[in-house]
Every structure is written in structure tokens, then in C-alpha cells.
Amino acid sequence: MEKLMNELGGKIISALKLSDVKPEDIDADAPLIGAGLGLDSIDTLELLVMLEKDYGVTVPDVNAGRKVFSSLRALAEYVQENRQKE
Amino acid sequence: MSSIKLYISGFSALHRDGIYTPDGITPWESDQKGPLDVRRNQVLPSPYPSFGKLNIPDRLAFSAAASALSRTNQTVGEKTGICMCIPQGSLSTDLLYMDSVLNGFPSPAFFSATLPSSTIADIAIFFKLKGPDRIFCGGDLPGFSALDTAAYWLKSRKAERVLWVAVWESSGDFTETPEKKTDCAIAILLSNTPESGCLAEMEFRPALLLTSKDQECNEQEIFMGVINSLMKKREEIISVPGRGFRGYISLRYDGY
């Protein structure tokens, strides 16, 4: 799980071009949207594209999305359970 | 048409030589090729995690605006407008978005930036500028059109200050004469009264807008002339080169 969290942290930084952020800056249990990284709704859409492209993972609805993006750890758990690509 | 007086209380330019501010020219570092490689901490003292995801015109415009606003002693906000010119509009981002569509995964971030005025939004949101805004893309003289509009807002009290921003993007080779252009962004903070901290008085004739279509006018060169004059505090009358123009921009520094 730690490895996947590190990988996802790097992909978030890369996909959203967060030039001022390093992977170790991302608090594994802090919300990804709003506070913390300061991500907005467009960033969320960009992450959804990244999840589908790189892991074959889709998020079916808003309620699932809230849970998935509640933290890096939650995101990693969701990807691990639902990934279609290795 | 009568001339219009405006007062400059802040400015900055990102040009191939470096970052121009009232403090001087800061050259690019050895690993930076020019304005497109600008780093957040070179123009803005506070963190901005989204800086890296700004597309090319956004990054140039935001950086020039940040560099100008972080060095002025004027309070900007509620009644500060933004008037911007980007001759190429969002063309470079449109092409990136098209690439992402062709790759099967359309990018929402690129899509949102295919609206040219998203560049204004990035600046307005970050600096909390709530005055009127307008963007000029294409046309003969978008920079002067933006300046004319800024002057109208100030004269009619629609805004107390206006941040005039111009971006020229050459990387995409979209211009008809790319050899004469370079990636460049200029931001100038204007007001209609000489406030404390005023750097110069600018007078210009909007008759410049009456250019003919066959007239070649390099606005980047003209406005970099304004910046060079401001840097040297050199009183100057800058005219638009070529046939048929009657306009000018003059700069004065008496008492500032």
C-alpha cells in the first residue's frame, strides 16, 4: 500500500503539475480536494482521467468520488481494489 | 481625438533578457531559456501550488501580473479591473486539448483553459481583483485596444485602478512574422490620479486605433519601449512606426 501511495502521490503531482509540491509533502490522511493541496473541481476531473488511463479505474458517482478523494490513503485503497491495469 | 493621461504605479515584464521590474532586470538563470521557464518564486513571494499547471499564456500573464503587483505599494482589490491582450488567444492550449482528445483521454484542465479569459480568472481569483475585466484577442492592435478600454474605465470611474496585461506567445509559431517576436508578457498597473508611489505619467492618443490593415505594427516592440523608458526613467515620446499613424505614447517623470 505504501508503494502505491507513493506512486499515486507522484502521479498527482505530475498530472496536475504541482511544481511547489513534493510527494513527501502530501499528508496520506488529509483531504485531497480543497484544503491541503488546494485542488479544485477541474483538478478532480484531471485525476479521474489519470485513474482511468493509468489504472483502468472509474469512479461511478459523486458519493463514491467523495470517499475516493477523501485522502491519498483512501485513493490508494480504491485503486488497489478496482484496478484493471497493472 | 484628445490625449488621455494615465498614471503608472507598478509594472513588470518578462522578456528574453530577464524579468524587468522597477528594481532592475533580473536575468534568467543558466537553466532557464526565457519567460516560459519562469519559476513561481521569481515573481511571487507566496506559495501557489497551481502555478505549474498554468498553461503558457496563463503562466506568462500571471507571472507578469504577480511581479508587478508584488512590488507596488498600491492597494488593489475591490475596484481594480483587468484589461488584457493575448493576440493568439488560447490557440496553443486548443492544440494541446485537441491532442488529448485524439489520444482518447480529453484533458479537463486543457479544456477549461481553451477559454482565453481563463487567464484573467487566474489573476483575478488569486489577487482578489473584483473590478471589470476584458480580453482582446486577434485584431490589428489588441494591446492599444486594451489600453484604450483601461483608460475609459478609469475616466468613467468604473474602476479605480486597472491592471493592463499583454502576452505575446511565439513558441507556437502562430505569428505571421515570428522572427520579430519573442515570448513576452508585460503588466502595468494604471490609475487616473497620481497617487503616492506613482512611478510615471503616461499620455497616449487613442487615434492609434485607426491603423489600416496593411500596416505592420509590432506592439510588443512598442510596449517594451515603454518598459525600457520606465526602467531608465527617461522622458520619451514613443510613436508607432510605419505609415498612417498619428498616435504616440509619452512618458513623464516630473515629481514622481
Side-chain angles (χ1 to χ4, degrees):
Chain A
M1 182 60 71
E2 287 297 320
K3 190 183 168 195
L4 182 56
M5 279 169 47
N6 284 338
E7 183 181 300
L8 281 166
K11 282 183 184 283
I12 289 170
I13 290 168
S14 169
L16 304 181
K17 302 182 180 69
L18 302 174
S19 53
D20 282 355
V21 181
K22 297 186 183 77
E24 57 268 29
D25 295 339
I26 303 176
D27 182 343
D29 297 304
L32 288 172
I33 313 300
L37 290 179
L39 306 188
D40 57 24
S41 55
I42 300 290
D43 295 326
T44 312
L45 290 172
E46 201 68 41
L47 291 183
L48 287 168
V49 171
M50 181 272 287
L51 290 177
E52 187 173 354
K53 188 176 166 186
D54 294 354
Y55 300 100
V57 169
T58 56
V59 179
D61 55 43
V62 174
N63 288 331
R66 285 200 183 100
K67 192 179 169 192
V68 171
F69 294 113
S70 63
S71 69
L72 181 62
R73 193 181 305 280
L75 177 63
E77 284 169 359
Y78 185 78
V79 169
Q80 191 159 349
E81 287 167 17
N82 297 280
R83 67 189 300 170
Q84 306 292 319
K85 295 179 184 175
E86 288 301 320
Chain B
M1 196 177 277
S2 61
S3 61
I4 295 171
K5 271 186 190 172
L6 301 171
Y7 298 90
I8 295 173
S9 51
F11 70 87
S12 185
L14 278 69
H15 196 250
R16 61 181 156 223
D17 303 327
I19 302 173
Y20 291 59
T21 69
D23 304 327
I25 302 173
T26 306
W28 300 113
E29 291 172 17
S30 55
D31 61 336
Q32 293 176 298
K33 290 177 186 166
L36 294 183
D37 293 330
V38 64
R39 296 190 189 103
R40 191 272 305 159
N41 60 8
Q42 291 176 302
V43 292
L44 186 69
S46 50
Y48 183 33
S50 299
F51 185 82
K53 72 178 180 184
L54 296 173
N55 64 6
I56 290 174
D58 283 11
R59 195 181 319 150
L60 291 171
F62 184 91
S63 298
S67 180
L69 294 178
S70 64
R71 288 176 173 84
T72 180
N73 64 356
Q74 302 300 320
T75 305
V76 294
E78 198 68 36
K79 293 204 77 178
T80 304
I82 305 175
C83 218
M84 187 178 289
C85 101
I86 306 180
Q88 297 90 354
S90 60
L91 185 54
S92 60
T93 310
D94 296 347
L95 294 172
L96 289 171
Y97 178 64
M98 192 172 75
D99 281 347
S100 75
V101 171
L102 294 174
N103 287 332
F105 292 95
S107 163
F110 287 150
F111 177 72
S112 67
T114 55
L115 193 63
S117 58
S118 65
T119 305
I120 286 180
D122 285 319
I123 295 171
I125 291 168
F126 189 87
F127 292 102
K128 299 180 174 57
L129 309 185
K130 297 179 182 174
D133 63 74
R134 188 166 295 171
I135 188 161
F136 293 82
C137 304
D140 283 341
L141 294 165
F144 286 105
S145 301
L147 192 59
D148 191 37
T149 301
Y152 168 71
W153 288 344
L154 291 167
K155 195 176 174 185
S156 61
R157 306 273 174 190
K158 285 181 185 291
E160 289 175 358
R161 293 182 188 83
V162 176
L163 183 68
W164 176 91
V165 184
V167 173
W168 293 274
E169 188 186 341
S170 71
S171 52
D173 196 19
F174 305 129
T175 56
E176 290 176 7
T177 53
E179 72 282 0
K180 294 185 179 178
K181 304 273 171 63
T182 175
D183 293 311
C184 177
I186 299 175
I188 300 176
L189 185 62
L190 302 162
S191 64
N192 61 354
T193 51
E195 304 163 301
S196 142
C198 178
L199 300 170
E201 177 187 307
M202 173 199 271
E203 189 178 347
F204 85 104
R205 282 184 73 101
L208 282 167
L209 298 171
L210 300 175
T211 178
S212 60
K213 278 200 167 178
D214 60 351
Q215 182 66 59
E216 186 183 341
C217 173
N218 188 336
E219 284 198 312
Q220 183 186 126
E221 199 173 279
I222 291 166
F223 285 109
M224 276 310 293
V226 170
I227 294 297
N228 278 312
S229 171
L230 289 167
M231 299 287 294
K232 293 171 184 166
K233 281 194 168 278
R234 186 178 61 208
E235 300 219 351
E236 196 162 1
I237 296 176
I238 299 169
S239 60
V240 180
R243 303 184 308 272
F245 288 107
R246 294 176 291 118
Y248 65 86
I249 293 175
S250 73
L251 293 152
R252 296 192 194 90
Y253 303 92
D254 295 342
Y256 303 123

